[in-house]
Amino acid sequence: MNPDQQPVPSEASPTSEAPSAAGTSDALGTSAARTRSAELEKLITEDPAKFRILTGDRPTGRLHLGHYFGTLHNRVRLQNLGVELFVIIADYQVLTDRDVADDLKGHVEELVLDYLAIGVDPERSTIFTHSAVPALNQLMLPFLSLVSVAELNRNPTVKDEIVHSRQSAVSGLMFTYPVHQAADILFCKANLVPVGQDQLPHLEVTRTVARRFNDRYGNGTPVFPRPEALLSEVPLLLGTDGTKMSKSRGNSITLAATADETARLLKGAKTDSERRITYDPATRPEVSSLLLLAALCQNRTPEEVASDIGSAGAAALKKTVTEAVNEYLAPIRARRAEYARDRAELRRILRAGNERANAVADATLAEVRAAMNSDY
Ligand code: TRP
């Protein structure tokens, strides 16, 4: 049967999913996802052991403050609440929008360093690389059989990434990466994925794959949970040039930057000529983004930061932001430097993570093969 023609099964059917949403549907809108996320936060506080999170990044460069306040600190918060955390370094996924992954080894090590520096605890959480877990990747084959080309074609996030791709032709890996991402999430049976709003369509692919696999092969015992999105407020931090903060634009303050580099970058940050500093994201985006950055570092509101600076002008604003960022990042940078001194230990941590991910993936693949009647 063509997956497109599958009847939509009742959402009420029990699954192995962690606390499942009454009234959740595959067409979760953002506002529904937001409501559900608030409920999930409550459930997490009550019983964090019920949840397993998978999340991760592509190893394409150093992580910066946009990543940090957008997602990274949230991962550590959830880990520290007691949720089990899997962090994937998606090395294969680098090849979705470029022909060659440059300096992969270097980027992977830097990413591990960033994770450890911000407080991902390798004793409790699993950091691993895509390419080191064959059974995870093998899941992609049965999963691909569960989605139609038309569905892949419709995915708004893929469409958008294709527009921004630096390649002239769309590769099969780009086209199918939401399915690959479903394998990333489902291999460890994660039931929670912290996402920004733009990632909701991907999670829907994962949920669809899980549902179809269970319907087709589950024999009444679902193999996969249907993971839920945990939407977080992502503050909009601009780069120092006033455009989107991005690894490749040289406009971002990385976690690894020194205090001096940070000061230099912020000194050159774009502002405006109005001496009185006010928080007004709509009309003063650059000044407001700097205020927001200081506020996030100092756990205050941007309005408070603005009123402290008053009419002292852009130079005073930059000084405030520089001090706030450097003070906030000091312990993170110190920890990073400490881990960076012992590369052998770093590689040991990654190897241990890969071993653990492999054990989990092997177990899941064994279940999948049994369900598909191919456990010869
Ligand atoms: N696509 C994510 C990024 O570019 C990385 C990633 C790969 C991921 N697989 C994932 C994130 C699964 C969440 C879940 O940053």
Side-chain angles (χ1 to χ4, degrees):
M1 185 167 46
N2 179 321
D4 270 340
Q5 293 156 1
Q6 284 195 339
V8 178
S10 148
E11 290 294 329
S13 61
T15 70
S16 59
E17 221 163 322
S20 114
T24 307
S25 88
D26 265 0
L28 260 187
T30 305
S31 80
R34 201 162 280 142
T35 310
R36 177 60 185 154
S37 294
E39 286 168 17
L40 284 167
E41 286 286 353
K42 239 181 90 211
L43 294 169
I44 291 166
T45 326
E46 283 161 17
D47 195 354
K50 279 211 175 104
F51 294 92
R52 179 180 275 185
I53 286 178
L54 182 121
T55 177
D57 305 277
R58 301 191 304 159
T60 52
R62 291 184 176 181
L63 297 175
H64 55 61
L65 285 171
H67 298 121
Y68 182 80
F69 287 113
T71 58
L72 301 174
H73 87 298
N74 196 31
R75 296 179 194 172
V76 175
R77 176 184 71 90
L78 291 160
Q79 168 198 269
N80 294 344
L81 282 174
V83 179
E84 198 183 358
L85 178 67
F86 279 71
V87 186
I88 187 166
I89 298 180
D91 51 358
Y92 274 138
Q93 214 185 76
V94 176
L95 299 174
T96 49
D97 67 353
R98 65 201 81 190
D99 294 337
V100 175
D102 288 324
D103 187 21
L104 208 43
K105 264 194 193 141
H107 285 324
V108 167
E109 276 193 17
E110 294 302 314
L111 215 47
V112 177
L113 274 178
D114 283 336
Y115 292 151
L116 297 171
I118 61 166
V120 174
D121 174 1
E123 298 296 322
R124 281 185 284 172
S125 299
T126 306
I127 302 172
F128 68 102
T129 47
H130 236 164
S131 61
V133 189
L136 179 162
N137 292 291
Q138 190 173 331
L139 288 178
M140 181 140 172
L141 294 173
F143 286 0
L144 278 170
S145 77
L146 298 168
V147 294
S148 69
V149 168
E151 285 172 312
L152 292 171
N153 238 334
R154 278 201 292 273
N155 186 303
T157 310
V158 174
K159 275 191 198 160
D160 186 60
E161 296 198 17
I162 285 172
V163 170
H164 290 102
S165 162
R166 55 183 84 175
Q167 289 181 303
S168 50
V170 179
S171 75
L173 196 62
M174 166 66 99
F175 191 61
T176 56
Y177 92 82
V179 183
H180 201 182
Q181 225 165 266
D184 298 344
I185 296 167
L186 294 176
F187 95 92
C188 65
K189 303 193 180 181
N191 52 15
L192 207 57
V193 184
V195 289
Q197 199 171 314
D198 60 323
Q199 296 283 312
L200 283 175
H202 283 342
L203 197 63
E204 280 314 306
V205 175
T206 299
R207 291 167 56 83
T208 301
V209 164
R211 191 193 69 219
R212 288 182 185 159
F213 188 93
N214 292 339
D215 287 348
R216 199 170 287 183
Y217 301 111
N219 272 322
T221 337
V223 175
F224 293 111
R226 293 185 59 208
E228 296 196 77
L230 187 66
L231 262 189
S232 57
E233 281 311 319
V234 177
L236 183 62
L237 287 176
L238 300 175
T240 48
D241 58 358
T243 71
K244 186 178 171 231
M245 200 184 280
S246 154
K247 282 179 192 168
S248 55
R249 291 186 193 176
N251 66 357
S252 54
I253 298 155
T254 63
L255 301 178
T258 64
D260 285 349
E261 285 161 359
T262 303
R264 213 174 313 129
L265 253 172
L266 284 169
K267 207 168 190 166
K270 191 169 171 204
T271 51
D272 56 39
S273 54
E274 177 117 25
R275 276 203 71 77
R276 212 168 80 79
I277 298 303
T278 52
Y279 184 66
D280 191 346
T283 57
R284 305 182 74 183
E286 298 91 358
V287 163
S288 299
S289 176
L290 289 170
L291 286 168
L292 179 61
L293 180 52
L296 287 165
C297 291
Q298 296 178 330
N299 205 8
R300 304 203 284 164
T301 67
E303 288 84 356
E304 278 168 353
V305 181
S307 84
D308 275 5
I309 299 169
S311 295
L317 168 64
K318 290 177 183 181
K319 186 162 172 281
T320 300
V321 181
T322 302
E323 282 169 8
V325 169
N326 281 339
E327 192 172 322
Y328 187 88
L329 288 180
I332 291 176
R333 287 168 170 166
R335 212 165 25 232
R336 198 179 192 287
E338 206 167 299
Y339 276 111
R341 270 194 288 276
D342 192 351
R343 296 275 158 171
E345 168 68 0
L346 199 65
R347 283 192 284 273
R348 192 198 60 73
I349 288 171
L350 185 56
R351 251 197 324 270
N354 282 338
E355 261 169 44
R356 168 141 169 67
N358 267 298
V360 172
D362 288 346
T364 301
L365 183 61
E367 268 183 76
V368 161
R369 295 183 66 186
M372 294 178 78
N373 205 19
S374 59
D375 51 340
Y376 330 109

